[in-house]
Structures are given as C-alpha cells and as structure tokens.
Amino acid sequence: NAGVTQTPKFRVLKTGQSMTLLCAQDMNHEYMYWYRQDPGMGLRLIHYSVGEGTTAKGEVPDGYNVSRLKKQNFLLGLESAAPSQTSVYFCASSYALIEQYFGPGTRLTVT
Amino acid sequence: KQEVTQIPAALSVPEGENLVLNCSFTDSAIYNLQWFRQDPGKGLTSLLLIQSSQREQTSGRLNASLDKSSGRSTLYIAASQPGDSATYLCAVDNYGQNFVFGPGTRLSVLP
C-alpha cells in the first residue's frame, strides 16, 4: 500500500515550457487535491476533484489545468510555465471530506 | 470565505515543557478539522482528525480540542521532545467542498 505518490520529485523548467505532474493513490479515495506551498503563504489549493471525470477550481487555479480520467490518478498541467509557478506542489487524497493523505511533494523551479 | 489563522507563528521551548498551539477559523459551519505535522523539506503527516460531532481527539502525547461555536481548536503537546520540532498546520473543510489550511506554527524544542 503506497498511499499517495507523486512524479517527479524535482524538476527545473525554462519559462514557457510545459509539463505534467502526476499524482497516484491506491486507497480508492474519491477526493483528490493539488496544492502549492510557498514561503509565507502556506498551502493554497489549486484544483480539486470529487470523483473520476470531475474537476473544480480552488483558490489559485490560473496557469494550471487538471484531469481525472482515472479514479486513482490526478494530473496537474502547466501549459506555459512562469517563474511565479516556482513552488513545492503537493497532492492529497481523501475519502469524502474525511482525513486527507498527502504525497511527498514535487519541487518545481522555473527559470 | 473561510479563513484560518494560527497563533503563534513560531514557538521555541525547552525539552519537557507542555505546550499549546492555537488554530482559529472564521466560519463555524465545518465538518472536520485536521492537524498536520510537516518536517522541513517533507510532506504533511496527519496527526489528529476531529469530526464536527466530536470535541477532542487524543493520540499519545497529543490532544486536540475543537470548539466550533467559537471557531477555535487547540493542539496540546505534553512533555515536548526535540523530535517534536516541526511546523504544525491545521486545516478545516470549506463548506463541504475542500480544505482550507492555516499558515502553520513553527515549533522548536531545545534539548
């Protein structure tokens, strides 16, 4: 039982490049979330999903897109990376709004 | 809009002390409140979950209480140890949609 895993762990992008972050969970959770964490800003919700095929915007969705084609996977895409998107990205999952489980994070630097 | 604050922002105590961390939220209509621990450069680890029908939860040296009517939760750590040094975050559900996090309290326990 791996819990929540994130791929990749680290990435460096140049401005304008695109990439996809993958989150996978093996707990059969319905709810999945993408957060970013910046110094002094705490955790902010980017997008979330309440089930396969559904997505919704969080607090800071601009510049990001998501997809939930399979229940166990939640993908976060950056179409044209900007330096302001340099951050640590965390994925989490939960059964309904009960206890959240977090992945180890992806450290992204955009130069 | 649900907002979560945590006081103090940072705390330094000698080993063995009992301590209290505070979490406040603006909208009392929550379903759950969850306390997390985050070590530097790591993901979040769930410590305690308090559901809206509960007033407190205990795990080992940790005790969390919830007073929905006043919009407050406290995390009590008994007999603190250097290994307790970390950032502690609380999160509340946001109108049944997702979670809102506080900025965290950075705890240092000195040997």
Side-chain angles (χ1 to χ4, degrees):
Chain A
N1 191 341
V4 180
T5 57
Q6 292 182 233
T7 308
K9 289 184 170 54
F10 302 94
R11 186 71 185 268
V12 178
L13 286 179
K14 293 184 178 179
T15 298
Q17 288 185 321
S18 63
M19 76 163 296
T20 300
L21 282 67
L22 171 64
C23 176
Q25 53 95 4
D26 61 2
M27 295 173 282
N28 202 34
H29 285 165
E30 291 291 337
Y31 287 50
M32 296 187 75
Y33 315 84
W34 275 108
Y35 296 92
R36 60 178 289 174
Q37 186 175 39
D38 304 291
M41 300 293 290
L43 273 157
R44 293 181 292 170
L45 182 66
I46 304 172
H47 286 280
Y48 64 101
S49 168
V50 299
E52 181 179 320
T54 75
T55 62
K57 294 180 180 179
E59 181 185 356
V60 288
D62 293 343
Y64 305 94
N65 57 76
V66 288
S67 64
R68 183 98 181 268
L69 298 179
K70 294 183 178 181
K71 186 177 185 179
Q72 64 267 33
N73 296 336
F74 196 28
L75 278 64
L76 178 71
L78 285 73
E79 292 184 344
S80 180
S84 61
Q85 294 178 304
T86 293
S87 186
V88 180
Y89 292 85
F90 288 102
C91 175
S93 71
S94 68
Y95 176 72
L97 281 173
I98 310 301
E99 188 172 8
Q100 291 183 90
Y101 294 83
F102 276 76
T106 295
R107 189 171 298 274
L108 175 65
T109 301
V110 183
T111 61
Chain B
K1 178 185 174 185
Q2 179 74 273
E3 293 183 358
V4 181
T5 55
Q6 292 187 243
I7 294 173
L11 181 64
S12 184
V13 300
E15 181 177 4
E17 273 203 9
N18 303 323
L19 56 99
V20 175
L21 308 181
N22 297 291
C23 172
S24 298
F25 45 95
T26 55
D27 192 321
S28 61
I30 66 169
Y31 297 132
N32 303 293
L33 184 144
Q34 193 169 1
W35 281 95
F36 294 88
R37 168 188 174 135
Q38 186 177 28
D39 295 289
K42 303 290 186 181
L44 279 70
T45 301
S46 177
L47 297 174
L48 291 164
L49 171 74
I50 310 177
Q51 298 190 24
S52 60
S53 58
Q54 301 171 321
R55 294 191 67 85
E56 66 177 337
Q57 282 284 347
T58 298
S59 176
R61 295 182 293 107
L62 305 180
N63 175 276
S65 66
L66 174 63
D67 184 344
K68 281 182 57 177
S69 61
S70 67
R72 293 183 180 183
S73 176
T74 61
L75 179 66
Y76 175 82
I77 303 177
S80 58
Q81 303 171 357
D84 294 330
S85 298
T87 296
Y88 291 80
L89 300 101
C90 67
V92 300
D93 68 83
N94 185 34
Y95 306 114
Q97 295 292 318
N98 48 64
F99 291 91
V100 177
F101 279 79
T105 293
R106 190 171 65 253
L107 173 66
S108 296
V109 181
L110 306 174

